[in-house]
Short mmCIF file of all heavy atoms in Angstrom, two decimals:
data_model
loop_
_atom_site.label_atom_id
_atom_site.label_comp_id
_atom_site.label_asym_id
_atom_site.label_seq_id
_atom_site.Cartn_x
_atom_site.Cartn_y
_atom_site.Cartn_z
N ARG H 28 -205.57 139.68 -19.10
CA ARG H 28 -204.88 139.39 -20.37
C ARG H 28 -205.78 139.68 -21.57
O ARG H 28 -206.98 139.47 -21.54
CB ARG H 28 -204.47 137.92 -20.40
CG ARG H 28 -203.83 137.51 -21.72
CD ARG H 28 -203.14 136.19 -21.62
NE ARG H 28 -201.99 136.33 -20.72
CZ ARG H 28 -201.49 135.35 -20.00
NH1 ARG H 28 -201.99 134.15 -20.08
NH2 ARG H 28 -200.46 135.57 -19.24
N ILE H 39 -207.24 136.52 -15.38
CA ILE H 39 -206.76 135.16 -15.62
C ILE H 39 -206.42 134.39 -14.34
O ILE H 39 -206.20 133.19 -14.40
CB ILE H 39 -205.55 135.15 -16.58
CG1 ILE H 39 -204.37 135.94 -16.00
CG2 ILE H 39 -205.94 135.66 -17.94
CD1 ILE H 39 -203.09 135.81 -16.81
N GLU H 59 -197.73 131.55 -13.16
CA GLU H 59 -197.54 130.75 -14.37
C GLU H 59 -198.87 130.21 -14.83
O GLU H 59 -199.68 129.76 -14.03
CB GLU H 59 -196.56 129.60 -14.12
CG GLU H 59 -195.16 130.08 -13.83
CD GLU H 59 -194.18 128.94 -13.66
OE1 GLU H 59 -194.44 127.84 -14.18
OE2 GLU H 59 -193.15 129.17 -13.01
N ASP H 60 -199.07 130.26 -16.13
CA ASP H 60 -200.26 129.67 -16.73
C ASP H 60 -199.88 129.16 -18.10
O ASP H 60 -198.75 129.30 -18.54
CB ASP H 60 -201.42 130.67 -16.79
CG ASP H 60 -201.16 131.81 -17.76
OD1 ASP H 60 -199.99 132.19 -17.95
OD2 ASP H 60 -202.12 132.34 -18.31
N GLU H 61 -200.81 128.56 -18.79
CA GLU H 61 -200.56 128.01 -20.12
C GLU H 61 -201.51 128.67 -21.11
O GLU H 61 -202.64 128.21 -21.29
CB GLU H 61 -200.76 126.49 -20.11
CG GLU H 61 -200.37 125.82 -21.40
CD GLU H 61 -198.91 126.02 -21.77
OE1 GLU H 61 -198.05 125.93 -20.88
OE2 GLU H 61 -198.63 126.26 -22.95
N PRO H 62 -201.07 129.77 -21.73
CA PRO H 62 -201.92 130.43 -22.73
C PRO H 62 -202.29 129.47 -23.85
O PRO H 62 -201.50 128.60 -24.22
CB PRO H 62 -201.05 131.57 -23.25
CG PRO H 62 -200.05 131.79 -22.18
CD PRO H 62 -199.80 130.46 -21.57
N ARG H 63 -203.50 129.61 -24.39
CA ARG H 63 -204.00 128.67 -25.36
C ARG H 63 -203.71 129.01 -26.81
O ARG H 63 -203.68 128.13 -27.65
CB ARG H 63 -205.52 128.52 -25.20
CG ARG H 63 -205.89 127.87 -23.89
CD ARG H 63 -207.37 127.72 -23.80
NE ARG H 63 -207.91 128.97 -23.25
CZ ARG H 63 -209.16 129.32 -23.31
NH1 ARG H 63 -210.04 128.56 -23.90
NH2 ARG H 63 -209.56 130.45 -22.78
N HIS H 64 -203.51 130.27 -27.14
CA HIS H 64 -203.48 130.64 -28.54
C HIS H 64 -202.14 131.22 -28.98
O HIS H 64 -201.14 130.53 -28.93
CB HIS H 64 -204.62 131.61 -28.85
CG HIS H 64 -205.97 131.01 -28.58
ND1 HIS H 64 -206.50 129.99 -29.32
CD2 HIS H 64 -206.88 131.28 -27.63
CE1 HIS H 64 -207.69 129.65 -28.85
NE2 HIS H 64 -207.94 130.42 -27.82
N SER H 65 -202.17 132.46 -29.37
CA SER H 65 -201.00 133.10 -29.99
C SER H 65 -199.79 133.13 -29.06
O SER H 65 -199.89 132.83 -27.88
CB SER H 65 -201.36 134.51 -30.44
OG SER H 65 -201.45 135.36 -29.33
N LYS H 66 -198.67 133.51 -29.61
CA LYS H 66 -197.43 133.56 -28.84
C LYS H 66 -197.24 134.87 -28.09
O LYS H 66 -196.39 134.95 -27.23
CB LYS H 66 -196.25 133.30 -29.76
CG LYS H 66 -196.26 131.90 -30.32
CD LYS H 66 -195.05 131.66 -31.18
CE LYS H 66 -195.08 130.24 -31.72
NZ LYS H 66 -193.90 129.92 -32.48
N SER H 67 -198.01 135.91 -28.41
CA SER H 67 -197.87 137.20 -27.74
C SER H 67 -199.21 137.62 -27.14
O SER H 67 -200.26 137.44 -27.75
CB SER H 67 -197.42 138.27 -28.72
OG SER H 67 -196.12 138.01 -29.16
N TYR H 68 -199.12 138.17 -25.93
CA TYR H 68 -200.29 138.67 -25.21
C TYR H 68 -199.95 140.01 -24.60
O TYR H 68 -198.79 140.40 -24.53
CB TYR H 68 -200.68 137.71 -24.09
CG TYR H 68 -201.21 136.39 -24.57
CD1 TYR H 68 -200.35 135.33 -24.82
CD2 TYR H 68 -202.55 136.21 -24.80
CE1 TYR H 68 -200.83 134.12 -25.28
CE2 TYR H 68 -203.05 135.01 -25.24
CZ TYR H 68 -202.18 133.97 -25.48
OH TYR H 68 -202.66 132.77 -25.94
N ASP H 70 -200.66 141.84 -20.94
CA ASP H 70 -201.16 141.67 -19.58
C ASP H 70 -201.22 143.00 -18.86
O ASP H 70 -200.41 143.89 -19.10
CB ASP H 70 -200.24 140.73 -18.79
CG ASP H 70 -200.38 139.27 -19.20
OD1 ASP H 70 -201.21 138.97 -20.08
OD2 ASP H 70 -199.65 138.44 -18.63
N VAL H 89 -196.31 140.25 -23.35
CA VAL H 89 -195.80 138.99 -22.80
C VAL H 89 -195.73 137.98 -23.95
O VAL H 89 -196.67 137.86 -24.73
CB VAL H 89 -196.74 138.45 -21.70
CG1 VAL H 89 -196.24 137.12 -21.16
CG2 VAL H 89 -196.89 139.47 -20.58
N ARG H 90 -194.62 137.29 -24.03
CA ARG H 90 -194.45 136.29 -25.09
C ARG H 90 -194.47 134.89 -24.48
O ARG H 90 -193.81 134.65 -23.48
CB ARG H 90 -193.14 136.50 -25.83
CG ARG H 90 -193.10 137.84 -26.55
CD ARG H 90 -191.92 137.92 -27.46
NE ARG H 90 -192.03 136.95 -28.53
CZ ARG H 90 -192.42 137.26 -29.76
NH1 ARG H 90 -192.73 138.49 -30.07
NH2 ARG H 90 -192.49 136.33 -30.69
N LYS H 91 -195.22 134.01 -25.12
CA LYS H 91 -195.29 132.62 -24.69
C LYS H 91 -194.00 131.92 -25.07
O LYS H 91 -193.52 132.06 -26.21
CB LYS H 91 -196.48 131.95 -25.35
CG LYS H 91 -196.64 130.49 -25.03
CD LYS H 91 -197.83 129.90 -25.75
CE LYS H 91 -197.94 128.42 -25.50
NZ LYS H 91 -199.09 127.85 -26.20
N LYS H 92 -193.43 131.16 -24.16
CA LYS H 92 -192.23 130.38 -24.46
C LYS H 92 -192.61 129.22 -25.35
O LYS H 92 -193.66 128.59 -25.18
CB LYS H 92 -191.60 129.83 -23.18
CG LYS H 92 -190.92 130.85 -22.33
CD LYS H 92 -190.25 130.18 -21.14
CE LYS H 92 -189.58 131.18 -20.26
NZ LYS H 92 -188.95 130.51 -19.10
N GLU H 97 -193.82 123.72 -31.42
CA GLU H 97 -194.47 124.74 -32.25
C GLU H 97 -193.55 125.21 -33.35
O GLU H 97 -192.39 125.23 -33.25
CB GLU H 97 -194.89 125.92 -31.37
CG GLU H 97 -195.89 125.47 -30.34
CD GLU H 97 -196.25 126.60 -29.40
OE1 GLU H 97 -196.44 127.74 -29.89
OE2 GLU H 97 -196.35 126.37 -28.21
#
Side-chain angles (χ1 to χ4, degrees):
R28 176 166 293 153
I39 61 172
E59 293 184 23
D60 67 330
E61 187 60 42
R63 293 182 274 164
H64 300 291
S65 74
K66 294 182 180 184
S67 294
Y68 291 89
D70 286 358
V89 178
R90 297 190 65 101
K91 178 181 176 180
K92 288 184 181 179
E97 298 176 42

